[in-house]
Amino acid sequence: MEQEVTSQVGEKLRQAREKEKLSQSQVAEMVGCTREYISMIESGRRIPKLKLLKRLAAIYKVDIRWLLEGKEEAEPDTFKMLPRAPEITQADKKVIEEFVKYCEDYAWLEEKLGIKKHEMTEQRKPVPTSWREMRIQAKRLAMEERGRLQLGDGPIRDIFLLLENQGVHVIRISLPNSQLDGIFAYDPEKGAFVLINTNRTKGKQTFTAAHEYCHYLRDRSRGYYPCKSEEDYLPYKSEENYLTRVEKLERSLYGSEAEEDRVLEPPKVPPTLVVLALEAYSRGFISLTRLAEIWRMKTSEVEEILQSAGYHIRK
């Protein structure tokens, strides 16, 4: 009986890994063990300890109960699982939970207001097997998207607005002393969301927004991607000239070096969320207290703002 359970867990782990398009070697590196050990787990010759099993479940974005109880796999809740992702440190967790709350507020308001989600078809591509192949894919994807949006060859002056216009909500939050540059999160019912770490320079924030937009275009159905600098911007550290090329590229696309070095201060609340909440309040869908909660303000502050703008105050 024990061997049967071990085999079932191993088979489910193999299925989940392949669904995420990860190799055994990649997973072994992520959890700190050998490829052979991952192979033995998947073949039913070893049962992982609970700590390792939880980490594998987080990497594969599956519920650990599905692995252990033999039930049919339930649809994972991206926003509940995101704070438990292995890339999220304890120091980052509180901010990530705030990001999730913003996502939930966006989705709730859009449902209340009857706003239909604007999405183009996902362009699933094979996972690149080399740095050269990744660059070719990225260049082709960028050219195709620029053509679709009729952007020409010029620099994109406001990529945050571009993402919002394409149905991707941008939430800019400070993550001090974090390795995370950004996060992409997607749920078919709630929509697509991007976190941008505002502790980065203007050039890096813009670059991150473009990077997260690529996740939206080509692999959003995988749920979420916490993106770290060393993994996503410098994948081949042995290439000495890579960083120089990126810096030159950012200067040519996004402005002068002085602009790149300037940190962009985010609005207190995402502008689109402000508008959605105000519209919901105006239609009587939410109370003043709920409006204040969404705006992250005291009720008295919101009341003062509404009065100065000539709005009728409803409690």
Side-chain angles (χ1 to χ4, degrees), residues 1-2 12 16 27 34 41 100 120 123 139 151 161 171 194 205 218 228 236 264:
M1 184 66 178
E2 184 179 341
K12 287 184 176 181
V27 173
T34 64
I41 290 173
V100 169
M120 71 284 294
Q123 304 175 35
K139 185 176 181 180
L151 295 174
L161 180 60
I171 300 167
V194 163
Q205 289 185 47
R218 69 183 299 264
K228 295 182 179 181
Y236 288 85
L264 291 175

Side-chain angles (χ1 to χ4, degrees), residues 154-166:
I156 300 169
R157 294 301 175 187
D158 190 342
I159 195 167
F160 307 123
L161 180 60
L162 183 147
L163 265 64
E164 289 283 356
N165 289 339
Q166 297 308 306

Side-chain angles (χ1 to χ4, degrees), residues 48-59:
K49 292 183 179 180
L50 185 59
K51 184 177 180 180
L52 177 57
L53 197 60
K54 287 180 177 179
R55 186 162 175 78
L56 290 171
I59 291 171

Side-chain angles (χ1 to χ4, degrees), residues 80-298:
K80 286 183 179 178
M81 296 179 70
L82 178 55
R84 304 199 300 268
E87 300 89 345
I88 306 300
T89 66
Q90 194 61 37
D92 291 335
K93 191 173 181 180
K94 186 175 180 180
V95 177
I96 303 308
E97 288 173 346
E98 177 66 11
F99 167 66
V100 169
K101 183 67 167 61
Y102 273 126
C103 297
E104 299 284 1
D105 286 343
Y106 263 116
W108 185 80
L109 285 168
E110 287 182 330
E111 183 181 4
K112 282 282 185 184
L113 294 169
I115 296 174
K116 293 182 179 179
K117 291 177 177 55
H118 169 70
E119 290 185 5
M120 71 284 294
T121 304
E122 183 179 16
Q123 304 175 35
R124 291 305 296 265
K125 307 284 185 182
V127 177
T129 57
S130 67
W131 173 230
R132 180 176 178 277
E133 186 180 337
M134 184 173 70
R135 285 195 300 176
I136 291 172
Q137 275 194 21
K139 185 176 181 180
R140 184 180 296 124
L141 182 64
M143 290 175 64
E144 290 173 355
E145 189 62 11
R146 277 182 170 271
R148 188 184 72 83
L149 297 172
Q150 299 182 335
L151 295 174
D153 296 325
I156 300 169
R157 294 301 175 187
D158 190 342
I159 195 167
F160 307 123
L161 180 60
L162 183 147
L163 265 64
E164 289 283 356
N165 289 339
Q166 297 308 306
V168 183
H169 292 312
V170 178
I171 300 167
R172 295 163 58 210
I173 307 178
S174 174
L175 280 159
N177 305 315
S178 174
Q179 291 186 324
L180 291 173
D181 287 322
I183 292 175
F184 173 78
Y186 174 77
D187 179 89
E189 298 297 322
K190 296 172 183 175
F193 301 87
V194 163
L195 180 151
I196 304 293
N197 185 356
T198 60
N199 269 61
R200 304 297 192 253
T201 62
K202 176 184 177 183
K204 182 60 73 179
Q205 289 185 47
T206 307
F207 193 83
T208 299
H211 177 90
E212 307 303 346
Y213 187 52
C214 287
H215 284 311
Y216 172 67
L217 292 174
R218 69 183 299 264
D219 46 22
R220 76 183 79 121
S221 59
R222 285 183 62 181
Y224 60 80
Y225 287 87
C227 298
K228 295 182 179 181
S229 292
E230 74 273 19
E231 291 181 0
D232 297 291
Y233 298 115
L234 298 173
Y236 288 85
K237 296 179 182 179
S238 60
E239 292 194 15
E240 296 178 0
N241 295 326
Y242 178 74
L243 181 57
T244 303
R245 292 203 302 271
V246 170
E247 289 173 345
K248 288 179 179 178
L249 177 63
E250 288 185 352
R251 278 197 291 274
S252 65
L253 289 177
Y254 309 127
S256 68
E257 188 172 354
E259 284 181 316
E260 284 181 20
D261 291 339
R262 179 169 58 87
V263 172
L264 291 175
E265 289 297 328
K268 187 173 181 180
V269 183
T272 306
L273 187 59
V274 170
V275 173
L276 289 173
L278 186 56
E279 179 66 18
Y281 175 77
S282 300
R283 294 194 198 179
F285 294 156
I286 62 174
S287 66
L288 184 67
T289 302
R290 179 68 173 124
L291 178 62
E293 180 188 334
I294 294 171
W295 281 6
R296 274 60 172 176
M297 293 182 181
K298 294 179 180 178

